Amino acid sequence: GGGGGGGGGGSRSAGSFIPNEPPSGWWKESSTPLRHPACLGALSSDETRDSGSSGVVQDSAAFAPTTRMTPPASIEEVCERLARYWDGECGAGRSTPETLAPRQASVLVPLVSSQIAMEWAQSSSSTTVVRLEGGSGGVDGGVHVLLCTRSTTLSSHAGEVCLPGGKNEPGESDREAALREAHEEVGLPPDAAAVAVLAQLPPFLSKGMVSVRPVVARIISQDFTPTPNADEVDATFLCPLEGFLSPGGGYSYKDWEFMPGRHIRVHYFQRGP
């Protein structure tokens, strides 16, 4: 288990998230930013630029150079945009892209509506809601992403912020692996009554040289609340999706080149009061 540590993130600390930066001198900060996925955000034509990246993220119609995106207003809009994106990928024969390394893993990107987030906040659920500085914050701030903090007792990526996920089993699809790992790590039932898979994004290469495929899904069960598996997960929390689509305020990132032509994005989150 434990799938998101290599794709950027951080370790939890008092009042903030500390980025999982590469050791000094190992990697250099990239001068060619990675392309942003355009499947969720509408591009602003007057703010686009040519990123010129030849890094881990492969060229795809789903990716376009941009400096800002318009965040979706509701979970329904997110689902609609992802459905259009995934239909286009399948129609163009890009639903099963080549992996970027022999070792493969999958992560689930669980999207949570403001209604379910509010129910978790009002219940005895241990899942907290992170408010980003400068962001809308709060459970009424739109769509949220369910994230985890890895157990501090793990031998790798201990204490890092991650998405539910892990290595694919032999013969297992990316979708199957992501759902299985989410069930093992946070107790999410891998059936259609609890979660609806919306799309699969192009793979990226983790700092551990693992090809990681994100599987985006919507949590739809009104009865589910995250239950962390103590062997793998210390805590779960919700972070506004808007923070990932609109850098600024409480969210920023750096792109690091760890091999010639190979990049990794490290995400920074600053928690508000």
Side-chain angles (χ1 to χ4, degrees), residues 174-187:
D174 297 318
R175 174 188 175 125
E176 291 168 340
L179 291 173
R180 173 182 55 78
E181 288 285 349
H183 178 58
E184 294 175 1
E185 293 179 7
V186 298

Side-chain angles (χ1 to χ4, degrees), residues 200-214:
Q200 299 180 48
L201 304 183
F204 64 90
L205 192 65
S206 77
K207 66 181 182 181
M209 303 299 288
V210 178
S211 181
V212 183
R213 185 87 187 272

Side-chain angles (χ1 to χ4, degrees), residues 120-213:
W120 290 357
Q122 294 175 344
S123 71
S124 58
S125 170
S126 60
T127 300
T128 58
V129 179
V130 170
R131 182 186 176 205
L132 300 179
E133 286 189 351
S136 57
V139 294
D140 57 348
V143 185
H144 289 71
V145 182
L146 177 64
L147 297 171
C148 306
T149 304
R150 285 171 58 83
S151 171
T152 56
T153 63
L154 293 172
S155 59
S156 62
H157 307 297
E160 290 183 5
V161 172
C162 68
L163 292 161
K167 294 180 182 177
N168 292 20
E169 298 289 350
E172 193 174 42
S173 70
D174 297 318
R175 174 188 175 125
E176 291 168 340
L179 291 173
R180 173 182 55 78
E181 288 285 349
H183 178 58
E184 294 175 1
E185 293 179 7
V186 298
L188 178 64
D191 55 65
V195 59
V197 174
L198 305 172
Q200 299 180 48
L201 304 183
F204 64 90
L205 192 65
S206 77
K207 66 181 182 181
M209 303 299 288
V210 178
S211 181
V212 183
R213 185 87 187 272

